[in-house]
Amino acid sequence: MRFQPSKPSIYGETLTSLTELLREWGEPGFRARQILDWLYRKRVTTFEEMANLPVKLRARLEGHFCLLPNTRLLVKQANDITEKLLLQQEDQRLIETVLISYPQKGVGQEDSRRTICVSSQVGCAYGCKFCASGLAGWKRDLSAAEIVAQYLHIIRLEEGRGRADPQSEVVPFDNVVYMGMGEPLANCDAVLRSIHILNADWGLRFGARRITVSTSGLVPEIRRLAEDPIQFRLAISLHGATNEVRQQIMPINRKYPLEELLPAAEYFAQKHGRMLTLEFILIEQVNDTFEQATELAKIARRLHAHVNLIPYNKVEGLPWIRPGLGRQKAFAKVLADENVSFTIRKEKGHDIDAACGQLRLKTEAELLVD
Ligand code: SAH
Ligand code: SF4
């Protein structure tokens, strides 16, 4: 379910859909590329600026579409490398987009590697027991335009700071992860459309290998994604290496247990020819045992997957505990001994997954005083 805006945003259109619409309007098809060029290369903020379009067409576009469907309310510095943009949708709903700038060794801030973590829904219906985003439940899906607009807001922010060249066709970020609020595969059409727009030569021309979609494991949709020609990456939120442990913290495991999830993941990896990532939040006494590490190693080897160990980040109101360094290391050693490729996040708040995983529905007032 999506919100019906008063006017659709033009950022939800693709080359095909826009060409069709223009044909209906009796306009030549080549106008579509001209319009997309204004949106994604020249990045105008009004239809008025689309100088090579007839005045009448500009007026018609203006009457039919809006440009960005959401407004930036504020930018919050979460720590030295993480910023959160608070965006308000037309129906007043709030979402956050995270920008993480990892400094590169020996170079300045302008040269840091930037990752954007986008939200795909307002809230989340899946209710994982460790996750802030799921706490208040699902409110609604975002449209493709509301997702694409998150990139445009980051571009504008960076341009405004002189960290991106408005004349340049290159976008000021290096990686995009669909790890913000929401379950991307529960909003599959809009997410795939936004990826298409992000990747297309008429869109933001962003490389597919730098795009990662993270899912809690919706099996039919993983299989559907596998058929998509765009070669983006997939991360699976595993968080439990046996059904018993996984379903304790991820209710979705009852619907799609490991014996269904793992073959679907395998299928995706084969079709896309890319290494999968398995995300595994370490929670003390829940999934950080030797047995879990051993089972995880087996799964990772079977799927030829990279494991991303994420020490649990405290969410207010939830009872879980982050294991101490000793336990984290012991867990990691089991993976190392089994020659599993893995990374372990060390510094609190300095990792993408935690920064994204901490997104939660708050009231506007709460967010403004944060
Ligand atoms: N719904 C999708 C994408 C959003 S959540 C999914 O579940 O994959 C993305 C990631 O946020 C999770 O996999 C997890 O890695 C991270 N996350 C959520 N809660 C967290 C917490 N309390 N501590 C650390 N990481 C967390
Ligand atoms: Fe939803 Fe992902 Fe959070 Fe689970 S981890 S509640 S699927 S956002």
Side-chain angles (χ1 to χ4, degrees), residues 54-66:
V55 175
K56 264 191 168 166
L57 177 57
R58 280 184 252 167
R60 193 157 187 192
L61 287 169
E62 168 111 52
H64 190 82
F65 290 113
C66 68

Side-chain angles (χ1 to χ4, degrees), residues 70-138:
N70 40 31
T71 332
R72 191 178 92 200
L73 285 190
L74 56 92
V75 183
K76 295 181 293 170
Q77 190 84 33
N79 57 44
D80 49 344
I81 60 164
T82 310
E83 290 172 283
K84 295 185 179 186
L85 274 65
L86 178 64
L87 303 177
Q88 186 169 45
Q89 318 308 300
E90 199 191 317
D91 62 352
Q92 314 300 311
R93 294 278 188 205
L94 297 170
I95 56 163
E96 285 187 316
T97 306
V98 182
L99 172 63
I100 301 128
S101 312
Y102 284 106
Q104 304 262 69
K105 264 200 186 116
V107 289
Q109 180 68 16
E110 318 75 59
D111 297 310
S112 56
R113 289 192 67 78
R114 276 163 273 186
T115 295
I116 304 183
C117 175
V118 286
S119 294
S120 55
Q121 299 182 302
V122 186
C124 181
Y126 289 85
C128 302
K129 302 273 193 284
F130 47 80
C131 175
S133 298
L135 276 180
W138 172 86

Side-chain angles (χ1 to χ4, degrees), residues 3-300:
F3 163 73
Q4 288 299 325
S6 50
K7 279 197 251 178
S9 160
I10 196 163
Y11 285 100
E13 299 300 317
T14 63
L15 178 60
T16 312
S17 67
L18 204 52
T19 308
E20 270 169 26
L21 179 76
L22 289 165
R23 289 239 165 85
E24 275 171 34
W25 287 2
E27 296 284 343
F30 69 84
R31 294 277 182 228
R33 275 197 186 267
Q34 287 182 321
I35 295 168
L36 293 163
D37 195 62
W38 286 109
L39 295 178
Y40 295 108
R41 302 273 94 67
K42 304 189 183 83
R43 301 197 276 264
V44 290
T45 52
T46 60
F47 288 105
E48 191 58 42
E49 291 164 78
M50 300 184 171
N52 58 0
L53 303 186
V55 175
K56 264 191 168 166
L57 177 57
R58 280 184 252 167
R60 193 157 187 192
L61 287 169
E62 168 111 52
H64 190 82
F65 290 113
C66 68
L67 282 156
L68 291 179
N70 40 31
T71 332
R72 191 178 92 200
L73 285 190
L74 56 92
V75 183
K76 295 181 293 170
Q77 190 84 33
N79 57 44
D80 49 344
I81 60 164
T82 310
E83 290 172 283
K84 295 185 179 186
L85 274 65
L86 178 64
L87 303 177
Q88 186 169 45
Q89 318 308 300
E90 199 191 317
D91 62 352
Q92 314 300 311
R93 294 278 188 205
L94 297 170
I95 56 163
E96 285 187 316
T97 306
V98 182
L99 172 63
I100 301 128
S101 312
Y102 284 106
Q104 304 262 69
K105 264 200 186 116
V107 289
Q109 180 68 16
E110 318 75 59
D111 297 310
S112 56
R113 289 192 67 78
R114 276 163 273 186
T115 295
I116 304 183
C117 175
V118 286
S119 294
S120 55
Q121 299 182 302
V122 186
C124 181
Y126 289 85
C128 302
K129 302 273 193 284
F130 47 80
C131 175
S133 298
L135 276 180
W138 172 86
K139 299 294 180 231
R140 72 168 173 88
D141 289 345
L142 293 180
S143 65
E146 286 169 329
I147 301 174
V148 172
Q150 297 178 57
Y151 306 124
L152 271 300
H153 279 291
I154 297 278
I155 293 172
R156 287 194 187 159
L157 177 75
E158 293 292 75
E159 283 176 355
R161 292 163 160 173
R163 282 209 242 147
D165 178 1
Q167 305 303 318
S168 164
E169 301 210 338
V170 182
V171 293
F173 44 84
D174 307 282
N175 294 292
V176 166
V177 295
Y178 284 74
M179 286 188 188
M181 188 185 282
E183 166 50 52
L185 300 202
N187 187 15
C188 217
D189 288 343
V191 164
L192 285 177
R193 197 174 173 100
S194 72
I195 291 176
H196 183 43
I197 296 169
L198 180 61
N199 176 250
D201 72 325
W202 47 260
L204 285 168
R205 294 187 184 159
F206 190 75
R209 288 157 195 230
R210 291 159 174 253
I211 305 171
T212 302
V213 177
S214 178
T215 179
S216 57
L218 276 64
V219 167
E221 285 76 13
I222 293 175
R223 292 187 177 273
R224 178 178 162 197
L225 247 56
E227 308 301 334
D228 197 281
I230 303 178
Q231 297 288 298
F232 53 84
R233 293 171 186 272
L234 187 69
I236 305 231
S237 286
L238 198 65
H239 311 319
T242 54
N243 282 327
E244 200 196 354
V245 169
R246 192 166 191 264
Q247 67 206 21
Q248 239 184 302
I249 47 177
M250 298 184 75
I252 192 170
N253 195 74
R254 291 190 191 274
K255 191 162 185 197
Y256 300 118
L258 293 176
E259 56 278 16
E260 287 183 38
L261 174 59
L262 301 182
E266 219 161 14
Y267 180 71
F268 181 94
Q270 272 166 12
K271 280 280 197 170
H272 267 213
R274 300 258 169 269
M275 202 181 201
L276 291 174
T277 299
L278 298 176
E279 294 164 271
F280 205 91
I281 300 182
L282 291 171
I283 309 175
E284 188 165 289
Q285 305 293 353
V286 174
N287 63 1
D288 68 339
T289 59
F290 178 80
E291 291 73 32
Q292 281 291 298
T294 311
E295 289 305 316
L296 175 59
K298 277 190 207 152
I299 294 174

